[in-house]
């Protein structure tokens, strides 16, 4: 989906090296933004998230039917006929700053059920975060087919860890294989003897502070209003701040404090630009 988040592409390449033969249905492994991936440049690794616009903000039927055009929009139109046949979908991503691995889902209950099963089917359970979507556009997991309250198709998004780390690659493949196994596309294996170590890399580290398996719902989106936005310290995504009213950041004259006890910090952006999301706050369920 994002050209500079190559962990997902590597996971698919590894699965394709020895392709599973599903006993029923159809398995599609889709490299979404090929042009952005082709533009990846080690000297400027952050710059090819997309070519013209963020492909993960375009999944809206009205927009897809409109005259709006861009390189990413054309690719979305190419893929929609396939996406419209999908029963279960896993979208693979990684993050700019250090964070616990997490699964994001939209609010439809069937997605939460699927994400929870996927989170707990792994060697180390993943965090699950529910949110209402993105204010600047519709993500693939929020596409009507997956988020419609009366539908049956399900989707969730993996944030596999920090960009360009070995552990994000390992995590992407581990989660993809558990996802395939849980949907009958691979023979089921016990989680502990799965495939996460086949690269000879250690599984992603878990610490007391990373709260594996916790499920939380996003309640607030903190936007940086000034160029002077600064966190009190470099928080790690998935950290849980114990007490309501704890100061976590300053933004010009404003103080940003946690609104309730046990507040989870979701994907903090440690250097947000003005007008961009600095962090999302989530309540533990
Ligand atoms: Zn991404």
């Amino acid at each position: 989906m994002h050209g500079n988040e190559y962990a997902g592409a590597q996971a698919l390449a590894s699965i394709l090296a020895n392709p599973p033969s599903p006993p029923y249905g159809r398995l599609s492994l889709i490299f979404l933004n090929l042009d952005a991936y082709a533009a990846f440049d080690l000297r400027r690794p952050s710059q090819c998230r997309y070519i013209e616009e963020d492909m993960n903000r375009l999944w809206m039927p009205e927009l897809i039917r409109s005259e709006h055009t861009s390189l990413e929009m054309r690719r979305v139109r190419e893929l929609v006929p396939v996406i419209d046949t999908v029963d279960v979908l896993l979208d693979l991503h990684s993050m700019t700053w250090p964070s616990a691995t997490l699964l994001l889902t939209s609010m439809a209950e069937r997605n939460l059920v699927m994400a929870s099963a996927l989170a707990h089917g792994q060697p180390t359970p993943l965090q699950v975060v529910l949110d209402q979507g993105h204010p600047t556009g519709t993500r693939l997991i929020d596409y009507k087919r997956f988020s419609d309250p009366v539908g049956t198709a399900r989707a969730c998004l993996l944030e596999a860890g920090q960009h360009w780390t070995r552990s994000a690659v390992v995590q992407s493949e581990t989660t993809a294989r558990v996802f395939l196994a849980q949907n009958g596309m691979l023979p089921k294996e016990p989680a502990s003897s799965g495939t996460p170590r086949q690269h000879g890399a250690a599984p992603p580290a878990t610490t007391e502070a990373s709260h594996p398996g916790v499920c939380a719902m996003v309640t607030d989106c903190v936007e940086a209003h000034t160029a002077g936005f600064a966190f009190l310290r470099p928080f790690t995504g998935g950290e849980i701040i114990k007490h309501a009213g704890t100061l976590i950041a300053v933004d010009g004259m404003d103080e940003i404090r946690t609104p309730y006890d046990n507040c989870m910090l979701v994907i903090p952006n440690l250097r947000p630009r003005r007008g961009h999301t600095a962090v999302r706050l989530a309540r533990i369920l």
Side-chain angles (χ1 to χ4, degrees), residues 195-216:
T195 49
R197 280 139 235 214
Q198 67 180 222
H199 295 288
T206 318
T207 64
E208 201 44 32
S210 61
H211 308 285
V214 158
C215 180

Side-chain angles (χ1 to χ4, degrees), residues 1-2 4-5 49 56 92-94 159 163:
M1 179 72 86
H2 293 130
N4 62 336
E5 299 174 10
R49 180 176 169 83
N56 210 19
L92 302 172
H93 291 256
S94 57
E159 291 285 6
H163 300 332

Side-chain angles (χ1 to χ4, degrees), residues 3-284:
N4 62 336
E5 299 174 10
Y6 59 67
Q10 289 204 1
L12 296 201
S14 164
I15 291 168
L16 282 169
N18 192 1
S21 34
Y24 54 82
R26 181 168 65 179
L27 170 62
S28 306
L29 306 178
I30 309 178
F31 298 85
L32 285 162
N33 198 337
L34 297 165
D35 294 286
Y37 181 69
F40 186 81
D41 180 348
L42 264 182
R43 290 162 301 178
R44 288 180 292 278
S46 297
Q47 305 220 330
C48 58
R49 180 176 169 83
Y50 52 81
I51 302 288
E52 292 186 81
E53 61 179 336
D54 191 334
M55 187 184 267
N56 210 19
R57 303 288 180 267
L58 303 177
W59 298 89
M60 215 176 321
E62 308 76 54
L63 184 64
I64 294 168
R65 284 194 302 265
S66 76
E67 299 289 299
H68 175 74
T69 191
S70 69
L71 194 139
E72 276 78 13
M73 197 70 237
R74 286 198 290 278
R75 179 69 172 148
V76 166
R77 289 191 182 114
E78 218 168 70
L79 293 168
V80 150
V82 179
I83 300 296
D84 279 338
T85 69
V86 168
D87 299 311
V88 282
L89 176 135
L90 175 66
D91 185 16
L92 302 172
H93 291 256
S94 57
M95 299 174 274
T96 307
W97 299 97
S99 172
T101 306
L102 59 97
L103 289 168
L104 269 175
T105 79
S106 65
M107 304 298 269
E109 195 185 343
R110 63 185 186 274
N111 291 319
L112 174 60
V113 170
M114 178 182 78
S116 301
L118 183 54
H120 289 277
Q122 324 249 341
T124 304
L126 309 181
Q127 294 181 349
V128 176
V129 174
L130 281 99
D131 73 7
Q132 309 254 24
H134 217 279
T136 57
T138 306
R139 301 170 301 190
L140 177 54
I141 59 165
D142 302 317
Y143 182 55
K144 198 164 172 289
R145 183 173 178 84
F146 307 115
S147 62
D148 196 328
V150 296
T152 56
R154 293 160 290 159
C156 70
L157 182 160
L158 173 73
E159 291 285 6
Q162 198 172 13
H163 300 332
W164 323 317
T165 58
R166 167 69 69 183
S167 66
V169 174
V170 174
Q171 184 69 63
S172 297
E173 186 174 344
T174 301
T175 305
R177 286 188 185 276
V178 172
F179 176 76
L180 293 178
Q182 288 185 341
N183 287 288
M185 298 280 121
L186 284 180
K188 275 211 166 70
E189 295 174 63
S192 58
S193 67
T195 49
R197 280 139 235 214
Q198 67 180 222
H199 295 288
T206 318
T207 64
E208 201 44 32
S210 61
H211 308 285
V214 158
C215 180
M217 183 162 69
V218 171
T219 58
D220 297 86
C221 188
V222 178
E223 190 183 286
H225 291 152
T226 74
F229 186 103
F231 284 101
L232 270 268
R233 64 176 171 81
F235 290 103
T236 303
E239 264 190 63
I240 294 173
I241 308 298
K242 232 178 155 133
H243 301 294
T246 303
L247 182 66
I248 56 167
V250 290
D251 190 10
M253 299 296 283
D254 295 339
E255 294 183 342
I256 314 295
R257 293 179 181 273
T258 50
Y260 37 78
D261 285 348
N262 297 317
C263 176
M264 185 195 275
L265 307 184
V266 179
I267 318 183
N269 175 354
L270 299 182
R271 277 203 304 270
R273 282 184 292 155
R274 212 170 133 235
H276 285 228
T277 300
V279 64
R280 284 178 278 174
L281 307 177
R283 194 191 285 278
I284 307 300

